Amino acid sequence: MSTIKDIARVAGVSATTVSNVIRGNTGRVSQEMIQRINHIIDEMHYVPNLSARALVSNASHIIGVINHLVPPEVGGFFQDPFHGALLAGIEQTLRDRGYYMMVRTINNVPELLSLLTNWNLDGLIVTGIFPSDFYLHLKSNSTPFILIDSYVDSENELQVRLADRLGGYKATRHLLEKGHRNILFCGPQIQKQGVLRERYEGYCEALGEYGLAPDPANIYGQEIGIEQSTALGRELARRNDYTAIFATADILAAGIISGLFEAGRKVPEDVSIVGFDDLNIARLTSPPLTSIHQNVVQRGSIAAEMLISVLEKDTGAPRNIVMPVSLVERSSVRAL
Amino acid sequence: MSTIKDIARVAGVSATTVSNVIRGNTGRVSQEMIQRINHIIDEMHYVPNLSARALVSNASHIIGVINHLVPPEVGGFFQDPFHGALLAGIEQTLRDRGYYMMVRTINNVPELLSLLTNWNLDGLIVTGIFPSDFYLHLKSNSTPFILIDSYVDSENELQVRLADRLGGYKATRHLLEKGHRNILFCGPQIQKQGVLRERYEGYCEALGEYGLAPDPANIYGQEIGIEQSTALGRELARRNDYTAIFATADILAAGIISGLFEAGRKVPEDVSIVGFDDLNIARLTSPPLTSIHQNVVQRGSIAAEMLISVLEKDTGAPRNIVMPVSLVERSSVRAL
DNA sequence: TCTAAAAGGTTTATCGTTCAACTTGACTAT
DNA sequence: ATAGTCAAGTTGAACGATAAACCTTTTAGA
């Protein structure tokens, strides 16, 4: 493997000059020399050693992608299709912009801190739900970070949010417009705040517009694992005082459909259902799932882009984006 | 951020001694000093800078996970559930063994080479189907690598293969035993060699045992994207000279089921189907899918483990593993 | 008493880059 | 003629760690 000194020797200049050419810092280098050096670099297949560069310049060009608390029932981070789509977008953008990506599951604060110091990470993309002490440690560290699905109530914090409330509203409103009145709400435990809370509020708002109030018996705080969601489907097959379901995640919806099917209930003939996320899986259920669409790949991509803007001191770039949602109609909802 | 010198100063020893303690190279350090240094390290929240270590020791403790040619129709690498499961296993093991993971999509040879020199990667886990010139470049480089789903005919090459032929055989045999005689084979273009070829050969072998020969009209070289697979389902709904389908990937099977459903054909009443991989999605289809199971997460984990064994000079470790397959019966096959 | 080995370190060079501070020669302006 | 400017570099220290070679002091044995 050739080093910058090898190139310098062949070109008959100092390493600094080569370094300047490589980094486009060519103010003090003649045109011929630039050509010459670039040619030699190609010839010798020279590639800069980024560990060395990271050491001296204290910037690694590595972005860490960390995650926490993606439920093991969905197979953890990498097997969760939502996070898969997110990663696809993140990776694409980081590659295009010349950054490397280091993905890591973080279980506790020391792991977080060692990740940061170990590699001089330029920045961090934070996915999954993070406990607040993680957030505090991130704040007190100088490494810039952007939050994706862990919301913080601060306009100044870098984050890529989603119009979750509107999504919940649109899903419910759609079912109401199709004539449904008794609509179940299924989603992981609703917290005081966060994604789920917002979707729930959208659900309540839509009901309100039709003069309906949420009935506690219609709220299922269900985890989105496969076992749990199919089990929920079978359980729901035993009730028949409702005609529709709003599931706050496609994988949950898919499980419910499967559970209902096993119990002999048909979608949409017997039960209508609307999902959320519009992941690939929404097109693979039988019937294909009507869902609230969000562009997850793009969301990852935007997160990466925003973080890089901050790293590269583009102060005009937005710090807090709310991505839109839309309803995608397929075949899982029937008009009454 | 404190450095090794800060620790050394506080402890009143040289940096080398601290370095020795950190790396457990404690032959020449007194017990009291070890305690003292460890205590100071904790106190000062010292974490070694791994770029510096990588630079001097020419070993980074980073393992690259590279992929190529995962069809965009399935959403690329990260959105493909097979590769997601693989990554889950890889990441888990790498973390446990103290390695970092750098995931990167490689589109051409220069990208491959720069990845290698940039970071002094300790090793490479290669996923996805790789063209042969990639393989040649990998061979000529000194970085150890292990292949997962790109087979090479060499007992000496590090790889984690699957009993694909047996899988194809078991799937087909199962359908035959249930009384099916006209069985379609659906899978991405069958090559002269590789995974698909082997599954196809297993299919032929099982047919042969029942005195049947594969009928070219029954072979569908279908890509596994969502659009294509649901389209195939609709297309297959127009034929009715068969009773069963062997789909060589669960996502393909799921699409076919969905397409058949749209066209009004029922699984398993009208058509039986067996998938391959037994991914999470196999439990979410309606009906749940009978599939050939492989432990993908474990496969990733084993690959990481094998690579690390090589890195750490464990010469006794196996170099070439073939993982088992088994049939998992769910509800997508009906006995005739 | 003297020597050898063991215990417990230290010193110095080095990894491949970058960065701040110099240098050198040619040209320009007065 | 002489200072001043500019183009086109060079030099040497640093980044944070590791590795090889070296150095003391203490202890044991003959």
Side-chain angles (χ1 to χ4, degrees):
Chain A
M1 292 283 120
S2 49
T3 74
I4 203 170
K5 285 179 190 168
D6 298 327
I7 307 297
R9 187 165 6 85
V10 174
V13 294
S14 72
T16 302
T17 300
V18 177
S19 174
N20 283 331
V21 170
I22 291 168
R23 287 169 304 130
N25 188 359
T26 49
R28 296 173 158 44
V29 189
S30 66
Q31 280 305 315
E32 303 110 80
M33 193 44 91
I34 294 176
Q35 304 258 308
R36 192 168 147 64
I37 289 176
N38 279 324
H39 187 246
I40 295 174
I41 286 176
D42 283 357
E43 284 276 284
M44 298 182 67
H45 301 298
Y46 166 73
V47 178
N49 180 318
L50 297 187
S51 324
R53 183 181 281 176
L55 184 59
V56 61
S57 64
N58 206 33
S60 59
H61 265 64
I62 304 181
I63 304 279
V65 177
I66 61 176
N67 66 88
H68 179 69
L69 266 190
V70 175
E73 308 90 51
V74 300
F77 184 64
F78 290 104
Q79 292 193 79
D80 175 27
F82 173 81
H83 289 97
L86 216 47
L87 273 176
I90 292 172
E91 203 255 357
Q92 173 86 52
T93 301
L94 290 184
R95 286 187 68 244
D96 290 352
R97 301 295 234 96
Y99 286 83
Y100 286 82
M101 176 172 88
M102 192 173 268
V103 190
R104 197 161 181 89
T105 300
I106 300 288
N107 293 319
N108 47 52
V109 171
E111 284 188 11
L112 177 61
L113 298 179
S114 32
L115 176 67
L116 287 168
T117 34
N118 270 327
W119 295 109
N120 293 324
L121 294 184
D122 282 6
L124 230 39
I125 297 177
V126 179
T127 71
I129 314 299
F130 269 70
S132 52
D133 58 330
F134 277 50
Y135 176 66
L136 294 175
H137 275 92
L138 282 170
K139 286 300 288 179
S140 64
N141 192 289
S142 63
T143 311
F145 61 93
I146 185 165
L147 301 171
I148 298 190
D149 43 353
S150 200
Y151 296 171
V152 161
D153 267 334
S154 157
E155 277 307 306
N156 200 39
E157 203 67 77
L158 277 173
Q159 47 187 330
V160 190
R161 314 180 51 154
L162 183 76
D164 286 290
R165 187 178 218 278
L166 183 58
Y169 172 82
K170 283 189 173 178
T172 315
R173 176 91 199 184
H174 178 68
L175 289 168
L176 289 163
E177 283 171 359
K178 291 288 184 182
H180 297 273
R181 288 298 174 269
N182 218 334
I183 302 168
L184 309 187
F185 177 95
C186 301
Q189 218 66 52
I190 300 160
Q191 317 267 298
K192 291 230 171 68
Q193 55 173 342
V195 174
L196 253 294
R197 181 80 209 174
E198 296 196 16
R199 292 180 193 175
Y200 176 69
E201 284 170 2
Y203 165 78
C204 295
E205 183 183 342
L207 288 183
E209 288 183 0
Y210 276 71
L212 301 167
D215 177 350
N218 284 352
I219 311 302
Y220 286 82
Q222 188 56 48
E223 287 304 325
I224 57 180
I226 292 174
E227 300 299 349
Q228 293 100 319
S229 59
T230 51
L232 177 62
R234 286 188 295 267
E235 182 185 339
L236 295 181
R238 281 189 252 114
R239 276 181 68 169
N240 46 25
D241 55 339
Y242 66 93
T243 59
I245 299 171
F246 168 35
T248 57
D250 282 354
I251 43 176
L252 176 54
I256 293 174
I257 292 177
S258 182
L260 286 169
F261 181 93
E262 279 182 63
R265 304 289 295 272
K266 295 201 176 81
V267 175
E269 290 81 357
D270 302 331
V271 178
S272 290
I273 182 162
V274 176
F276 203 110
D277 288 340
D278 191 27
L279 301 172
N280 284 341
I281 197 180
R283 293 185 286 169
L284 288 178
T285 53
S286 314
L289 186 66
T290 291
S291 186
I292 297 298
H293 174 84
Q294 63 163 313
N295 194 331
V296 188
V297 176
Q298 192 186 38
R299 197 167 166 194
S301 173
I302 287 178
E305 204 74 65
M306 283 170 66
L307 181 60
I308 292 172
S309 297
V310 169
L311 298 181
E312 297 179 351
K313 314 286 179 218
D314 174 0
T315 49
R319 299 187 58 85
N320 196 322
I321 281 189
V322 177
M323 298 206 42
V325 292
S326 60
L327 180 82
V328 176
E329 281 197 66
R330 297 208 179 81
S331 325
S332 63
V333 175
R334 155 180 172 234
L336 287 189
Chain B
M1 291 286 118
S2 49
T3 73
I4 203 170
K5 285 180 189 165
D6 298 326
I7 306 297
R9 187 163 9 80
V10 174
V13 295
S14 72
T16 301
T17 301
V18 177
S19 174
N20 284 329
V21 170
I22 291 167
R23 288 170 304 129
N25 188 0
T26 50
R28 294 172 159 41
V29 189
S30 67
Q31 280 305 315
E32 302 109 82
M33 192 47 90
I34 295 176
Q35 304 257 307
R36 193 168 146 66
I37 289 176
N38 279 324
H39 187 246
I40 296 174
I41 287 176
D42 283 358
E43 285 275 283
M44 301 182 65
H45 300 297
Y46 167 72
V47 178
N49 180 316
L50 297 187
S51 325
R53 183 182 279 178
L55 184 57
V56 63
S57 64
N58 205 35
S60 58
H61 264 63
I62 304 181
I63 303 280
V65 177
I66 62 175
N67 67 88
H68 179 70
L69 267 191
V70 176
E73 309 92 50
V74 299
F77 184 64
F78 290 104
Q79 292 193 80
D80 174 27
F82 174 79
H83 288 96
L86 217 48
L87 273 176
I90 291 172
E91 203 253 357
Q92 174 83 55
T93 300
L94 290 183
R95 287 187 67 246
D96 290 352
R97 301 295 235 97
Y99 285 83
Y100 286 83
M101 176 172 88
M102 190 172 267
V103 190
R104 197 162 180 88
T105 300
I106 300 289
N107 293 319
N108 48 52
V109 171
E111 284 188 10
L112 178 61
L113 297 179
S114 31
L115 176 67
L116 287 169
T117 35
N118 270 325
W119 296 109
N120 293 323
L121 294 185
D122 282 5
L124 230 41
I125 297 176
V126 179
T127 71
I129 312 299
F130 270 71
S132 52
D133 59 330
F134 278 50
Y135 176 66
L136 293 175
H137 275 93
L138 283 170
K139 285 301 288 179
S140 65
N141 192 290
S142 63
T143 311
F145 62 93
I146 184 165
L147 302 171
I148 297 191
D149 43 353
S150 200
Y151 296 170
V152 161
D153 267 333
S154 155
E155 277 307 306
N156 201 40
E157 204 66 78
L158 276 174
Q159 46 187 328
V160 191
R161 313 179 54 155
L162 183 75
D164 286 291
R165 187 179 219 276
L166 182 59
Y169 173 81
K170 283 188 173 179
T172 314
R173 177 89 200 189
H174 178 69
L175 289 168
L176 288 163
E177 283 171 359
K178 291 287 184 182
H180 298 275
R181 289 297 175 272
N182 218 334
I183 302 168
L184 309 188
F185 178 97
C186 300
Q189 218 67 52
I190 300 161
Q191 318 266 297
K192 290 233 172 68
Q193 55 172 343
V195 174
L196 253 295
R197 181 79 209 176
E198 296 196 14
R199 293 180 192 175
Y200 176 69
E201 285 171 2
Y203 165 79
C204 295
E205 184 184 340
L207 288 183
E209 288 183 358
Y210 275 73
L212 301 166
D215 177 350
N218 284 352
I219 312 301
Y220 286 82
Q222 188 56 48
E223 286 305 324
I224 57 179
I226 293 174
E227 300 301 347
Q228 293 101 320
S229 59
T230 52
L232 178 61
R234 286 187 295 268
E235 183 185 338
L236 294 182
R238 280 189 253 113
R239 276 180 69 169
N240 45 25
D241 55 340
Y242 65 94
T243 58
I245 299 172
F246 167 37
T248 57
D250 282 353
I251 44 178
L252 176 54
I256 292 174
I257 291 177
S258 182
L260 286 169
F261 181 94
E262 280 183 63
R265 303 292 294 273
K266 295 200 177 81
V267 175
E269 289 80 358
D270 302 333
V271 178
S272 291
I273 183 162
V274 176
F276 203 109
D277 289 340
D278 192 26
L279 302 171
N280 284 341
I281 196 180
R283 293 185 286 168
L284 289 177
T285 54
S286 312
L289 186 65
T290 291
S291 186
I292 297 297
H293 174 83
Q294 61 163 313
N295 194 330
V296 188
V297 176
Q298 191 185 36
R299 196 169 168 192
S301 173
I302 286 178
E305 205 74 65
M306 281 170 66
L307 180 60
I308 293 172
S309 297
V310 169
L311 299 181
E312 298 179 350
K313 314 286 179 219
D314 174 0
T315 47
R319 298 186 60 83
N320 196 322
I321 281 188
V322 177
M323 297 206 41
V325 291
S326 60
L327 180 83
V328 175
E329 281 198 67
R330 296 206 181 82
S331 326
S332 63
V333 174
R334 155 179 172 236
L336 288 189

